[in-house]
Amino acid sequence: MTDKALLKAAGIIGIVLGILSCFTIIGIIWGIPMIIGGYTFYNYSNMEDNEIIQNKGTILGWSIFFIIFSLIAGVLGLVYYSSLNKYEKQIQITYLDELERLKKLYDEKAITKAEYDKKKKEILGEN
């Protein structure tokens, strides 16, 4: 499980700085996107890890945006994105291990083809 505190902090910083930017007419141009990006980060911090992994491209995009307009939020987003990549690799290794064990059980005739197919779909997240 990933530590979502960085993502939540980046979201809060983005929202606050976005609101503060909106006090000027020109600031509204980047303030509104900062609020949207901050809100997106904050919402992601409440999601399950697998949902976040599916949206990791969005995290990278908003992190780059924040690097330009709010260095702190951007750096926090990029640090989280980096840790997310490491976590994703760990998940992939775990899935491979589970699939190998499942295949071994099937080859040893410890489980039926139907049980094998059902469990394989569960591991891969297919319904």
Side-chain angles (χ1 to χ4, degrees), residues 69-115:
F69 293 102
S70 167
L71 185 62
I72 296 170
V75 169
L76 291 174
L78 288 175
V79 169
Y80 180 79
Y81 179 81
S82 174
S83 70
L84 190 60
N85 283 334
K86 293 175 189 174
Y87 177 73
E88 184 178 20
K89 289 176 186 174
Q90 291 172 347
I91 289 174
Q92 289 172 346
I93 291 170
T94 302
Y95 284 152
L96 290 174
D97 290 342
E98 286 184 49
L99 289 171
E100 286 175 359
R101 280 182 266 170
L102 183 64
K103 178 70 171 139
K104 185 177 178 182
L105 287 171
Y106 176 69
D107 290 342
E108 293 173 352
K109 309 269 190 242
I111 60 173
T112 66
K113 175 73 172 155
E115 292 170 323

Tab-separated table of all heavy atoms in Angstrom, residues 69-115:
chain	number	residue	atom	x	y	z
A	69	PHE	N	3.714	26.064	-11.662
A	69	PHE	CA	2.969	27.084	-10.933
A	69	PHE	C	3.073	26.992	-9.414
A	69	PHE	O	2.759	27.939	-8.712
A	69	PHE	CB	1.492	27.049	-11.346
A	69	PHE	CG	1.293	27.467	-12.770
A	69	PHE	CD1	1.073	26.534	-13.760
A	69	PHE	CD2	1.349	28.811	-13.114
A	69	PHE	CE1	0.900	26.927	-15.070
A	69	PHE	CE2	1.175	29.209	-14.425
A	69	PHE	CZ	0.955	28.272	-15.415
A	70	SER	N	3.458	25.849	-8.897
A	70	SER	CA	3.571	25.679	-7.449
A	70	SER	C	4.611	24.601	-7.186
A	70	SER	O	4.286	23.416	-7.109
A	70	SER	CB	2.225	25.254	-6.854
A	70	SER	OG	2.393	24.814	-5.539
A	71	LEU	N	5.836	25.004	-7.065
A	71	LEU	CA	6.951	24.071	-6.979
A	71	LEU	C	6.754	23.001	-5.905
A	71	LEU	O	6.994	21.818	-6.140
A	71	LEU	CB	8.255	24.834	-6.732
A	71	LEU	CG	9.522	24.001	-6.729
A	71	LEU	CD1	9.724	23.346	-8.089
A	71	LEU	CD2	10.713	24.841	-6.368
A	72	ILE	N	6.279	23.398	-4.747
A	72	ILE	CA	6.133	22.441	-3.641
A	72	ILE	C	5.136	21.335	-3.999
A	72	ILE	O	5.427	20.152	-3.831
A	72	ILE	CB	5.695	23.158	-2.343
A	72	ILE	CG1	6.780	24.125	-1.899
A	72	ILE	CG2	5.393	22.157	-1.244
A	72	ILE	CD1	6.366	25.038	-0.779
A	73	ALA	N	3.966	21.711	-4.488
A	73	ALA	CA	2.963	20.707	-4.853
A	73	ALA	C	3.478	19.820	-5.982
A	73	ALA	O	3.242	18.611	-5.994
A	73	ALA	CB	1.654	21.380	-5.258
A	74	GLY	N	4.197	20.402	-6.926
A	74	GLY	CA	4.752	19.623	-8.033
A	74	GLY	C	5.774	18.611	-7.578
A	74	GLY	O	5.769	17.459	-8.009
A	75	VAL	N	6.660	19.026	-6.697
A	75	VAL	CA	7.679	18.109	-6.174
A	75	VAL	C	7.030	16.985	-5.381
A	75	VAL	O	7.385	15.809	-5.543
A	75	VAL	CB	8.722	18.869	-5.316
A	75	VAL	CG1	9.616	17.908	-4.550
A	75	VAL	CG2	9.555	19.784	-6.191
A	76	LEU	N	6.048	17.317	-4.544
A	76	LEU	CA	5.351	16.272	-3.780
A	76	LEU	C	4.659	15.282	-4.723
A	76	LEU	O	4.698	14.074	-4.498
A	76	LEU	CB	4.330	16.898	-2.832
A	76	LEU	CG	4.886	17.692	-1.654
A	76	LEU	CD1	3.761	18.370	-0.882
A	76	LEU	CD2	5.713	16.814	-0.750
A	77	GLY	N	4.032	15.799	-5.772
A	77	GLY	CA	3.378	14.931	-6.747
A	77	GLY	C	4.364	14.018	-7.452
A	77	GLY	O	4.108	12.833	-7.651
A	78	LEU	N	5.522	14.570	-7.837
A	78	LEU	CA	6.534	13.753	-8.520
A	78	LEU	C	7.151	12.706	-7.601
A	78	LEU	O	7.418	11.580	-8.027
A	78	LEU	CB	7.623	14.642	-9.118
A	78	LEU	CG	7.204	15.459	-10.337
A	78	LEU	CD1	8.327	16.398	-10.766
A	78	LEU	CD2	6.797	14.558	-11.496
A	79	VAL	N	7.352	13.066	-6.336
A	79	VAL	CA	7.875	12.083	-5.376
A	79	VAL	C	6.867	10.951	-5.208
A	79	VAL	O	7.229	9.768	-5.198
A	79	VAL	CB	8.205	12.752	-4.022
A	79	VAL	CG1	8.479	11.721	-2.949
A	79	VAL	CG2	9.391	13.693	-4.182
A	80	TYR	N	5.590	11.302	-5.095
A	80	TYR	CA	4.563	10.267	-4.978
A	80	TYR	C	4.524	9.416	-6.239
A	80	TYR	O	4.434	8.192	-6.159
A	80	TYR	CB	3.187	10.884	-4.720
A	80	TYR	CG	2.123	9.826	-4.593
A	80	TYR	CD1	1.995	9.120	-3.415
A	80	TYR	CD2	1.303	9.492	-5.658
A	80	TYR	CE1	1.058	8.106	-3.287
A	80	TYR	CE2	0.363	8.489	-5.545
A	80	TYR	CZ	0.248	7.801	-4.367
A	80	TYR	OH	-0.674	6.795	-4.259
A	81	TYR	N	4.592	10.050	-7.407
A	81	TYR	CA	4.572	9.319	-8.677
A	81	TYR	C	5.732	8.326	-8.734
A	81	TYR	O	5.564	7.182	-9.160
A	81	TYR	CB	4.643	10.295	-9.850
A	81	TYR	CG	4.652	9.626	-11.196
A	81	TYR	CD1	3.472	9.196	-11.775
A	81	TYR	CD2	5.836	9.432	-11.886
A	81	TYR	CE1	3.468	8.570	-13.010
A	81	TYR	CE2	5.846	8.809	-13.117
A	81	TYR	CZ	4.662	8.383	-13.687
A	81	TYR	OH	4.678	7.763	-14.909
A	82	SER	N	6.894	8.750	-8.293
A	82	SER	CA	8.060	7.871	-8.276
A	82	SER	C	7.831	6.672	-7.362
A	82	SER	O	8.147	5.530	-7.720
A	82	SER	CB	9.285	8.658	-7.809
A	82	SER	OG	10.387	7.825	-7.651
A	83	SER	N	7.280	6.913	-6.180
A	83	SER	CA	7.012	5.801	-5.259
A	83	SER	C	5.923	4.891	-5.821
A	83	SER	O	5.928	3.686	-5.579
A	83	SER	CB	6.614	6.315	-3.876
A	83	SER	OG	5.339	6.913	-3.908
A	84	LEU	N	5.015	5.466	-6.586
A	84	LEU	CA	3.943	4.683	-7.194
A	84	LEU	C	4.499	3.711	-8.220
A	84	LEU	O	4.064	2.560	-8.306
A	84	LEU	CB	2.923	5.621	-7.846
A	84	LEU	CG	1.618	5.029	-8.334
A	84	LEU	CD1	0.863	4.396	-7.177
A	84	LEU	CD2	0.775	6.099	-8.988
A	85	ASN	N	5.495	4.145	-8.984
A	85	ASN	CA	6.129	3.256	-9.959
A	85	ASN	C	6.803	2.074	-9.271
A	85	ASN	O	6.706	0.939	-9.729
A	85	ASN	CB	7.144	4.024	-10.803
A	85	ASN	CG	6.483	4.861	-11.866
A	85	ASN	OD1	5.383	4.561	-12.307
A	85	ASN	ND2	7.148	5.918	-12.280
A	86	LYS	N	7.483	2.335	-8.147
A	86	LYS	CA	8.121	1.254	-7.393
A	86	LYS	C	7.070	0.281	-6.858
A	86	LYS	O	7.235	-0.926	-6.919
A	86	LYS	CB	8.950	1.817	-6.247
A	86	LYS	CG	10.150	2.602	-6.692
A	86	LYS	CD	10.855	3.236	-5.518
A	86	LYS	CE	11.927	4.196	-5.989
A	86	LYS	NZ	12.519	4.932	-4.879
A	87	TYR	N	5.976	0.831	-6.341
A	87	TYR	CA	4.902	0.010	-5.799
A	87	TYR	C	4.264	-0.843	-6.895
A	87	TYR	O	3.965	-2.018	-6.685
A	87	TYR	CB	3.855	0.908	-5.136
A	87	TYR	CG	2.669	0.154	-4.598
A	87	TYR	CD1	2.777	-0.620	-3.455
A	87	TYR	CD2	1.448	0.207	-5.242
A	87	TYR	CE1	1.696	-1.317	-2.955
A	87	TYR	CE2	0.355	-0.485	-4.753
A	87	TYR	CZ	0.483	-1.232	-3.613
A	87	TYR	OH	-0.591	-1.927	-3.137
A	88	GLU	N	4.090	-0.249	-8.077
A	88	GLU	CA	3.483	-0.983	-9.187
A	88	GLU	C	4.346	-2.175	-9.589
A	88	GLU	O	3.835	-3.258	-9.873
A	88	GLU	CB	3.284	-0.053	-10.378
A	88	GLU	CG	2.571	-0.707	-11.539
A	88	GLU	CD	2.343	0.248	-12.698
A	88	GLU	OE1	3.033	1.276	-12.801
A	88	GLU	OE2	1.473	-0.060	-13.515
A	89	LYS	N	5.653	-2.002	-9.570
A	89	LYS	CA	6.559	-3.106	-9.899
A	89	LYS	C	6.440	-4.220	-8.861
A	89	LYS	O	6.457	-5.400	-9.207
A	89	LYS	CB	7.994	-2.611	-9.998
A	89	LYS	CG	8.237	-1.768	-11.228
A	89	LYS	CD	9.636	-1.210	-11.259
A	89	LYS	CE	9.776	-0.258	-12.437
A	89	LYS	NZ	11.063	0.427	-12.429
A	90	GLN	N	6.294	-3.860	-7.594
A	90	GLN	CA	6.117	-4.859	-6.542
A	90	GLN	C	4.823	-5.633	-6.751
A	90	GLN	O	4.779	-6.839	-6.561
A	90	GLN	CB	6.105	-4.202	-5.161
A	90	GLN	CG	7.428	-3.641	-4.738
A	90	GLN	CD	7.315	-2.835	-3.455
A	90	GLN	OE1	6.234	-2.498	-3.012
A	90	GLN	NE2	8.457	-2.502	-2.866
A	91	ILE	N	3.762	-4.943	-7.141
A	91	ILE	CA	2.473	-5.598	-7.398
A	91	ILE	C	2.600	-6.580	-8.546
A	91	ILE	O	2.097	-7.695	-8.488
A	91	ILE	CB	1.377	-4.553	-7.691
A	91	ILE	CG1	1.028	-3.789	-6.433
A	91	ILE	CG2	0.130	-5.217	-8.263
A	91	ILE	CD1	0.061	-2.648	-6.660
A	92	GLN	N	3.286	-6.159	-9.618
A	92	GLN	CA	3.448	-7.034	-10.771
A	92	GLN	C	4.191	-8.303	-10.389
A	92	GLN	O	3.830	-9.391	-10.818
A	92	GLN	CB	4.192	-6.301	-11.893
A	92	GLN	CG	3.364	-5.223	-12.544
A	92	GLN	CD	4.155	-4.373	-13.515
A	92	GLN	OE1	5.381	-4.399	-13.534
A	92	GLN	NE2	3.442	-3.606	-14.307
A	93	ILE	N	5.217	-8.182	-9.554
A	93	ILE	CA	5.963	-9.354	-9.103
A	93	ILE	C	5.054	-10.262	-8.281
A	93	ILE	O	5.061	-11.478	-8.449
A	93	ILE	CB	7.210	-8.925	-8.305
A	93	ILE	CG1	8.224	-8.267	-9.250
A	93	ILE	CG2	7.825	-10.105	-7.577
A	93	ILE	CD1	9.381	-7.589	-8.546
A	94	THR	N	4.235	-9.679	-7.424
A	94	THR	CA	3.309	-10.454	-6.608
A	94	THR	C	2.315	-11.203	-7.485
A	94	THR	O	2.037	-12.379	-7.258
A	94	THR	CB	2.556	-9.533	-5.628
A	94	THR	OG1	3.511	-8.849	-4.822
A	94	THR	CG2	1.623	-10.326	-4.750
A	95	TYR	N	1.766	-10.526	-8.505
A	95	TYR	CA	0.838	-11.182	-9.425
A	95	TYR	C	1.505	-12.358	-10.120
A	95	TYR	O	0.917	-13.427	-10.249
A	95	TYR	CB	0.331	-10.206	-10.488
A	95	TYR	CG	-0.710	-9.227	-10.019
A	95	TYR	CD1	-0.826	-7.985	-10.622
A	95	TYR	CD2	-1.596	-9.523	-8.997
A	95	TYR	CE1	-1.785	-7.070	-10.211
A	95	TYR	CE2	-2.556	-8.623	-8.577
A	95	TYR	CZ	-2.643	-7.402	-9.192
A	95	TYR	OH	-3.596	-6.509	-8.787
A	96	LEU	N	2.737	-12.155	-10.572
A	96	LEU	CA	3.447	-13.239	-11.257
A	96	LEU	C	3.661	-14.421	-10.326
A	96	LEU	O	3.490	-15.578	-10.722
A	96	LEU	CB	4.789	-12.737	-11.799
A	96	LEU	CG	4.715	-11.763	-12.958
A	96	LEU	CD1	6.106	-11.241	-13.308
A	96	LEU	CD2	4.074	-12.413	-14.173
A	97	ASP	N	4.025	-14.154	-9.086
A	97	ASP	CA	4.217	-15.229	-8.108
A	97	ASP	C	2.914	-16.006	-7.884
A	97	ASP	O	2.911	-17.238	-7.849
A	97	ASP	CB	4.708	-14.679	-6.762
A	97	ASP	CG	6.136	-14.157	-6.825
A	97	ASP	OD1	6.852	-14.520	-7.777
A	97	ASP	OD2	6.513	-13.392	-5.920
A	98	GLU	N	1.821	-15.265	-7.742
A	98	GLU	CA	0.528	-15.920	-7.529
A	98	GLU	C	0.131	-16.763	-8.735
A	98	GLU	O	-0.374	-17.883	-8.580
A	98	GLU	CB	-0.556	-14.872	-7.253
A	98	GLU	CG	-0.472	-14.252	-5.886
A	98	GLU	CD	-1.622	-13.293	-5.629
A	98	GLU	OE1	-2.776	-13.678	-5.884
A	98	GLU	OE2	-1.347	-12.177	-5.179
A	99	LEU	N	0.344	-16.227	-9.921
A	99	LEU	CA	-0.001	-16.984	-11.126
A	99	LEU	C	0.856	-18.236	-11.270
A	99	LEU	O	0.354	-19.291	-11.681
A	99	LEU	CB	0.138	-16.097	-12.373
A	99	LEU	CG	-0.918	-15.011	-12.526
A	99	LEU	CD1	-0.549	-14.058	-13.657
A	99	LEU	CD2	-2.289	-15.613	-12.760
A	100	GLU	N	2.127	-18.137	-10.928
A	100	GLU	CA	3.015	-19.307	-10.989
A	100	GLU	C	2.563	-20.388	-10.003
A	100	GLU	O	2.521	-21.574	-10.351
A	100	GLU	CB	4.457	-18.903	-10.705
A	100	GLU	CG	5.117	-18.162	-11.849
A	100	GLU	CD	6.508	-17.661	-11.497
A	100	GLU	OE1	6.976	-17.861	-10.350
A	100	GLU	OE2	7.118	-17.046	-12.387
A	101	ARG	N	2.216	-19.978	-8.783
A	101	ARG	CA	1.737	-20.943	-7.786
A	101	ARG	C	0.418	-21.589	-8.224
A	101	ARG	O	0.214	-22.792	-8.060
A	101	ARG	CB	1.561	-20.279	-6.432
A	101	ARG	CG	2.877	-20.127	-5.679
A	101	ARG	CD	2.662	-19.519	-4.348
A	101	ARG	NE	2.886	-18.076	-4.619
A	101	ARG	CZ	2.628	-17.116	-3.793
A	101	ARG	NH1	2.104	-17.358	-2.639
A	101	ARG	NH2	2.873	-15.870	-4.112
A	102	LEU	N	-0.450	-20.783	-8.796
A	102	LEU	CA	-1.728	-21.294	-9.276
A	102	LEU	C	-1.513	-22.304	-10.401
A	102	LEU	O	-2.124	-23.370	-10.417
A	102	LEU	CB	-2.608	-20.134	-9.760
A	102	LEU	CG	-4.006	-20.501	-10.237
A	102	LEU	CD1	-4.826	-21.083	-9.085
A	102	LEU	CD2	-4.692	-19.264	-10.808
A	103	LYS	N	-0.623	-21.994	-11.325
A	103	LYS	CA	-0.338	-22.898	-12.448
A	103	LYS	C	0.257	-24.210	-11.932
A	103	LYS	O	-0.077	-25.294	-12.417
A	103	LYS	CB	0.625	-22.212	-13.425
A	103	LYS	CG	1.029	-23.067	-14.597
A	103	LYS	CD	-0.114	-23.292	-15.544
A	103	LYS	CE	0.409	-23.958	-16.805
A	103	LYS	NZ	-0.445	-24.989	-17.301
A	104	LYS	N	1.104	-24.092	-10.921
A	104	LYS	CA	1.709	-25.292	-10.342
A	104	LYS	C	0.634	-26.179	-9.713
A	104	LYS	O	0.643	-27.397	-9.906
A	104	LYS	CB	2.752	-24.894	-9.291
A	104	LYS	CG	3.512	-26.059	-8.720
A	104	LYS	CD	4.579	-25.589	-7.748
A	104	LYS	CE	5.294	-26.775	-7.148
A	104	LYS	NZ	6.305	-26.372	-6.173
A	105	LEU	N	-0.317	-25.570	-8.992
A	105	LEU	CA	-1.415	-26.337	-8.410
A	105	LEU	C	-2.240	-27.031	-9.501
A	105	LEU	O	-2.634	-28.188	-9.356
A	105	LEU	CB	-2.326	-25.437	-7.579
A	105	LEU	CG	-1.786	-24.956	-6.239
A	105	LEU	CD1	-2.712	-23.915	-5.641
A	105	LEU	CD2	-1.615	-26.135	-5.291
A	106	TYR	N	-2.477	-26.319	-10.576
A	106	TYR	CA	-3.256	-26.895	-11.677
A	106	TYR	C	-2.485	-28.036	-12.341
A	106	TYR	O	-3.057	-29.099	-12.616
A	106	TYR	CB	-3.600	-25.817	-12.712
A	106	TYR	CG	-4.322	-26.360	-13.907
A	106	TYR	CD1	-5.618	-26.841	-13.804
A	106	TYR	CD2	-3.700	-26.403	-15.140
A	106	TYR	CE1	-6.285	-27.353	-14.901
A	106	TYR	CE2	-4.355	-26.911	-16.248
A	106	TYR	CZ	-5.651	-27.384	-16.132
A	106	TYR	OH	-6.297	-27.892	-17.221
A	107	ASP	N	-1.197	-27.844	-12.572
A	107	ASP	CA	-0.377	-28.886	-13.197
A	107	ASP	C	-0.278	-30.133	-12.328
A	107	ASP	O	-0.195	-31.252	-12.835
A	107	ASP	CB	1.031	-28.358	-13.492
A	107	ASP	CG	1.042	-27.334	-14.620
A	107	ASP	OD1	0.052	-27.274	-15.393
A	107	ASP	OD2	2.030	-26.578	-14.728
A	108	GLU	N	-0.315	-29.934	-11.019
A	108	GLU	CA	-0.247	-31.069	-10.079
A	108	GLU	C	-1.625	-31.688	-9.854
A	108	GLU	O	-1.780	-32.578	-9.038
A	108	GLU	CB	0.340	-30.607	-8.745
A	108	GLU	CG	1.790	-30.197	-8.829
A	108	GLU	CD	2.302	-29.577	-7.532
A	108	GLU	OE1	1.489	-29.320	-6.614
A	108	GLU	OE2	3.511	-29.339	-7.455
A	109	LYS	N	-2.634	-31.175	-10.557
A	109	LYS	CA	-4.013	-31.672	-10.461
A	109	LYS	C	-4.629	-31.457	-9.078
A	109	LYS	O	-5.527	-32.176	-8.665
A	109	LYS	CB	-4.106	-33.159	-10.841
A	109	LYS	CG	-3.468	-33.520	-12.167
A	109	LYS	CD	-4.471	-33.427	-13.259
A	109	LYS	CE	-3.875	-34.038	-14.522
A	109	LYS	NZ	-3.741	-33.137	-15.604
A	110	ALA	N	-4.121	-30.451	-8.361
A	110	ALA	CA	-4.661	-30.130	-7.045
A	110	ALA	C	-5.949	-29.315	-7.164
A	110	ALA	O	-6.750	-29.278	-6.228
A	110	ALA	CB	-3.633	-29.370	-6.216
A	111	ILE	N	-6.126	-28.639	-8.292
A	111	ILE	CA	-7.348	-27.878	-8.555
A	111	ILE	C	-7.851	-28.188	-9.957
A	111	ILE	O	-7.087	-28.630	-10.814
A	111	ILE	CB	-7.126	-26.345	-8.396
A	111	ILE	CG1	-6.058	-25.851	-9.366
A	111	ILE	CG2	-6.794	-25.988	-6.961
A	111	ILE	CD1	-5.897	-24.342	-9.393
A	112	THR	N	-9.128	-27.979	-10.167
A	112	THR	CA	-9.731	-28.257	-11.474
A	112	THR	C	-9.484	-27.090	-12.429
A	112	THR	O	-9.066	-25.998	-12.020
A	112	THR	CB	-11.252	-28.461	-11.341
A	112	THR	OG1	-11.833	-27.225	-10.925
A	112	THR	CG2	-11.583	-29.565	-10.353
A	113	LYS	N	-9.780	-27.305	-13.694
A	113	LYS	CA	-9.645	-26.266	-14.718
A	113	LYS	C	-10.566	-25.079	-14.400
A	113	LYS	O	-10.164	-23.918	-14.524
A	113	LYS	CB	-9.985	-26.856	-16.096
A	113	LYS	CG	-10.001	-25.860	-17.229
A	113	LYS	CD	-8.625	-25.422	-17.623
A	113	LYS	CE	-8.703	-24.575	-18.898
A	113	LYS	NZ	-7.609	-23.669	-19.034
A	114	ALA	N	-11.776	-25.369	-13.941
A	114	ALA	CA	-12.719	-24.300	-13.600
A	114	ALA	C	-12.198	-23.472	-12.428
A	114	ALA	O	-12.277	-22.237	-12.448
A	114	ALA	CB	-14.090	-24.887	-13.263
A	115	GLU	N	-11.653	-24.133	-11.404
A	115	GLU	CA	-11.082	-23.415	-10.272
A	115	GLU	C	-9.880	-22.579	-10.692
A	115	GLU	O	-9.713	-21.440	-10.258
A	115	GLU	CB	-10.662	-24.396	-9.169
A	115	GLU	CG	-11.819	-25.093	-8.486
A	115	GLU	CD	-11.367	-26.218	-7.572
A	115	GLU	OE1	-10.392	-26.931	-7.909
A	115	GLU	OE2	-11.989	-26.375	-6.507
